[in-house]
Amino acid sequence: MNVFNRYQSALITLVSWAALSQPLQALQVRVNPQSAQLGDTISVQIQVNTPEPPTVQMGNSTYPAFPLSPNRFRALVPSSPLDRPGTWSIEVQGDGTSETVRVQMGDRSFPTQSIWFSESDAAIRGTDYEFDRVDEFKRLVTPQKFWNGPFLRPNSGYVSTIFGVQRYYNGEFAENYYHRGVDYAAPTGSPVVAPAAGRISLVGKEANGFELHGNTIGLDHGQGILSIFIHLHTIKVQEGEMVKAGQVIGTVGSTGTSTGPHLHWGLYVNGVAVDPVPWRFEGIE
């Protein structure tokens, strides 16, 4: 080996040792979208050097991070019309260090709607049974991810009430309320399809005490993402059943406290009702 080759070999060895001695860049964090508006879901993707899941916090809330690939995780942070706009600080801890990322949360103007119920409907307050079952459903955080890609429209009817609407009920303003979903007006008996794959984790019937919600289906898409469908006419699934995106799970009705046939679809992220529209048109991954 000549002098040049020996020098080249030694240089390569030196560079290799230097590269090995340098730690990999730890705790890389990326958020999407960086500029959001109230009702959006914020995706926080984290790259770490170890298989240990990172911790994601904002204020007093902690959000679970689930693996996307080796050493890569994703947490979902919900927002609602009840939150304050401005600069949101999300703290991520992992690899023995922490990083704070900031999201610009824009304000959003939500319309106001007046709803008038008959005297008998206005007297309905719901049962402890239905509230307990629905609250239990909204707390689900299943480790598996069942959904894939953008969500489907659950019914072909026209949108009669958008997400986030504020309301007067029989002339009285509802404090700390917002419409926690999207309403599709359609004839009784129109099909309701699963917007994404998941497990049927709640079936509630008006005849069994679901006085306010009416006939109800709760669909667990996994990792804290939940769909709820209320005021149904018929239910075509059973609790524990796995369903595919586009599968018929029930039909539109006007059960419970309802002013006419429609489907109410609510989408919950870690217990907070978010706007389903971005999930349909952009998808959250």
Side-chain angles (χ1 to χ4, degrees):
M1 181 181 294
N2 59 38
V3 174
F4 175 77
N5 288 337
R6 286 200 299 271
Y7 172 77
Q8 187 179 44
S9 177
L11 181 61
I12 291 173
T13 301
L14 181 62
V15 170
S16 298
W17 276 105
L20 288 173
S21 65
Q22 295 295 322
L24 295 174
Q25 184 178 356
L27 197 60
Q28 301 176 54
V29 182
R30 181 169 61 90
V31 298
N32 184 49
Q34 293 182 337
S35 295
Q37 62 177 354
L38 295 178
D40 282 349
T41 303
I42 302 167
S43 175
V44 183
Q45 296 194 19
I46 308 122
Q47 183 77 40
V48 289
N49 290 334
T50 66
E52 293 298 320
T55 300
V56 178
Q57 291 180 298
M58 192 182 69
N60 296 323
S61 298
T62 300
Y63 301 97
F66 295 98
L68 295 174
S69 59
N71 296 2
R72 184 166 167 260
F73 296 83
R74 195 263 343 273
L76 296 174
V77 177
S79 70
S80 84
L82 301 181
D83 292 320
R84 290 186 176 183
T87 302
W88 285 23
S89 296
I90 301 172
E91 184 179 356
V92 181
Q93 297 179 349
D95 284 344
T97 186
S98 65
E99 181 176 340
T100 299
V101 292
R102 291 175 173 80
V103 176
Q104 294 302 316
M105 182 61 66
D107 202 355
R108 184 175 169 188
S109 177
F110 295 97
T112 301
Q113 185 182 56
S114 291
I115 298 290
W116 295 90
F117 288 119
S118 67
E119 187 174 333
S120 58
D121 284 343
I124 297 175
R125 293 292 182 263
T127 65
D128 289 341
Y129 170 71
E130 67 177 311
F131 289 131
D132 289 345
R133 290 295 316 276
V134 170
D135 288 344
E136 180 184 16
F137 168 72
K138 291 176 182 177
R139 289 194 294 267
L140 286 176
V141 182
T142 304
Q144 295 88 354
K145 176 178 178 287
F146 301 126
W147 89 89
N148 185 30
F151 280 32
L152 303 176
R153 185 187 180 104
N155 180 263
S156 60
Y158 73 89
V159 174
S160 55
T161 307
I162 64 172
F163 170 84
V165 167
Q166 297 178 311
R167 279 178 173 170
Y168 287 86
Y169 285 104
N170 288 8
E172 183 176 346
F173 185 72
E175 296 286 348
N176 297 320
Y177 166 88
Y178 66 96
H179 188 238
R180 288 167 166 79
V182 175
D183 286 352
Y184 298 89
T188 297
S190 300
V192 174
V193 304
R199 178 184 291 114
I200 303 298
S201 297
L202 171 66
V203 170
K205 297 183 179 180
E206 187 178 41
N208 296 333
F210 271 62
E211 297 177 352
L212 191 69
H213 296 77
N215 293 333
T216 299
I217 294 174
L219 177 55
D220 178 10
H221 303 294
Q223 299 186 349
I225 313 305
L226 310 166
S227 284
I228 191 166
F229 310 90
I230 66 177
H231 306 309
L232 299 171
H233 179 58
T234 60
I235 295 173
K236 298 184 178 294
V237 289
Q238 296 180 348
E239 285 189 20
E241 183 178 345
M242 297 297 298
V243 298
K244 299 178 181 178
Q247 180 177 334
V248 175
I249 58 175
T251 60
V252 171
S254 188
T255 55
T257 304
S258 170
T259 57
H262 72 284
L263 168 68
H264 174 95
W265 171 38
L267 184 66
Y268 285 77
V269 174
N270 292 317
V272 177
V274 301
D275 191 348
V277 172
W279 285 79
R280 282 196 54 232
F281 291 101
E282 301 165 17
I284 307 292
E285 292 297 338

